[in-house]
Amino acid sequence: MIVKYMLNYSPRLDQVFPALADPTRRAMVERLSRGPASVSELARPLTMSLPAVLQHLQILESSGLVRSEKAGRVRTCQIEATALRTAEQWIADSRSRWEQQLDRLGAYLARKDDQPEHRRD
Amino acid sequence: MIVKYMLNYSPRLDQVFPALADPTRRAMVERLSRGPASVSELARPLTMSLPAVLQHLQILESSGLVRSEKAGRVRTCQIEATALRTAEQWIADSRSRWEQQLDRLGAYLARKDDQPEHRRD
């Protein structure tokens, strides 16, 4: 799909936002933000099967939000901050652009209030 | 679903992240971050039908990211910064918590390198 005004198009955002759209995956990211964890540590508080947890983990890994490494029989997962930063930056850019627009509008209205109206008599 | 370690659970995030998961809706948010727009202005650069655009708009409105008002025959849309801020804050919290973990680990490893090993002879 071609969107003419989508200047900062990033294929990574197309994976990161859908990955964060699910509350279980956000819970996994929150847990991992407190430190690396094995798959079973990640799964323990979740009320779902291990295959379901692994499927969520796979989506987090494809999005670049999480990476995991296997040492012996234990797979340890950790956050990849770059993907989080990309999403955070996109939101921050949109928000600050909009806030600047609001400030400009506010300043314009204030100027308009101060000036007497020019009449054409 | 109950997730024991999901302390900062927010129903808003459950709507905002899925809303941002679609590239067309992100393009609409980007456009609106540059200033309010009518539905037809929003639709113009998008290669899709007006009903499809309205469906995307409806998802953006339910998520709280966008609000619209009708004046006469024109519906004007604008950003609601609060929802953007909620999502930005969630990501920033996860990222900075993880970066603090990394800093702590780095400091621990540096201390360990400096200290001579205690031997039990």
Side-chain angles (χ1 to χ4, degrees):
Chain A
M1 202 204 54
I2 297 163
V3 182
K4 289 175 207 154
Y5 51 64
M6 195 193 289
L7 295 171
N8 301 314
Y9 181 74
S10 150
R12 171 162 269 170
L13 294 175
D14 266 341
Q15 296 199 285
V16 171
F17 282 123
L20 293 177
D22 183 274
T24 302
R25 291 196 289 271
R26 284 203 305 281
M28 290 165 84
V29 168
E30 278 207 27
R31 165 62 191 82
L32 291 175
S33 73
R34 300 174 201 283
S38 69
V39 174
S40 53
E41 281 170 336
L42 265 184
R44 202 168 298 142
L46 299 170
T47 53
M48 57 177 66
S49 67
L50 190 62
V53 172
L54 287 171
Q55 213 169 352
H56 281 305
L57 182 60
Q58 204 263 312
I59 294 171
L60 287 172
E61 289 203 59
S62 321
S63 75
L65 285 163
V66 168
R67 66 183 167 92
S68 74
E69 262 173 74
K70 204 164 179 176
R73 290 173 59 183
V74 177
R75 177 170 292 280
T76 305
C77 311
Q78 68 170 55
I79 293 283
E80 273 287 357
T82 318
L84 279 178
R85 237 176 267 127
T86 308
E88 187 182 341
Q89 196 57 53
W90 185 89
I91 301 178
D93 287 349
S94 300
R95 183 189 47 73
S96 64
R97 211 162 30 228
W98 169 240
E99 286 171 350
Q100 280 165 22
Q101 286 294 326
L102 279 187
D103 287 350
R104 252 174 247 160
L105 181 66
Y108 168 76
L109 291 176
R111 265 202 314 276
K112 233 184 132 189
D113 267 359
D114 284 350
Q115 283 168 8
E117 276 187 53
H118 296 287
R119 287 192 179 186
R120 291 184 191 179
D121 289 336
Chain B
M1 204 204 56
I2 297 161
V3 181
K4 290 176 204 154
Y5 50 64
M6 196 192 289
L7 295 172
N8 302 315
Y9 181 73
S10 149
R12 171 162 268 173
L13 294 176
D14 265 342
Q15 296 198 286
V16 171
F17 283 123
L20 293 177
D22 183 273
T24 301
R25 291 195 291 270
R26 284 203 305 281
M28 291 165 83
V29 169
E30 278 206 29
R31 165 62 192 82
L32 291 175
S33 73
R34 299 174 201 283
S38 69
V39 174
S40 52
E41 282 169 334
L42 265 185
R44 203 168 298 143
L46 299 170
T47 53
M48 57 177 64
S49 66
L50 190 63
V53 172
L54 287 170
Q55 213 169 351
H56 282 305
L57 182 60
Q58 203 262 311
I59 294 172
L60 286 172
E61 289 204 59
S62 322
S63 75
L65 284 163
V66 168
R67 66 182 167 91
S68 74
E69 263 174 71
K70 205 165 180 175
R73 290 173 60 183
V74 177
R75 178 171 292 281
T76 304
C77 312
Q78 68 170 55
I79 294 282
E80 273 289 357
T82 318
L84 278 179
R85 235 176 267 127
T86 308
E88 187 182 341
Q89 195 57 53
W90 185 88
I91 301 178
D93 287 349
S94 299
R95 183 190 47 75
S96 65
R97 208 158 37 224
W98 169 240
E99 285 172 349
Q100 281 166 22
Q101 285 294 326
L102 278 187
D103 287 349
R104 251 174 246 159
L105 182 66
Y108 168 78
L109 291 176
R111 266 201 314 277
K112 234 185 133 189
D113 268 359
D114 285 349
Q115 283 169 9
E117 279 188 52
H118 296 286
R119 287 191 177 186
R120 292 182 189 179
D121 289 334

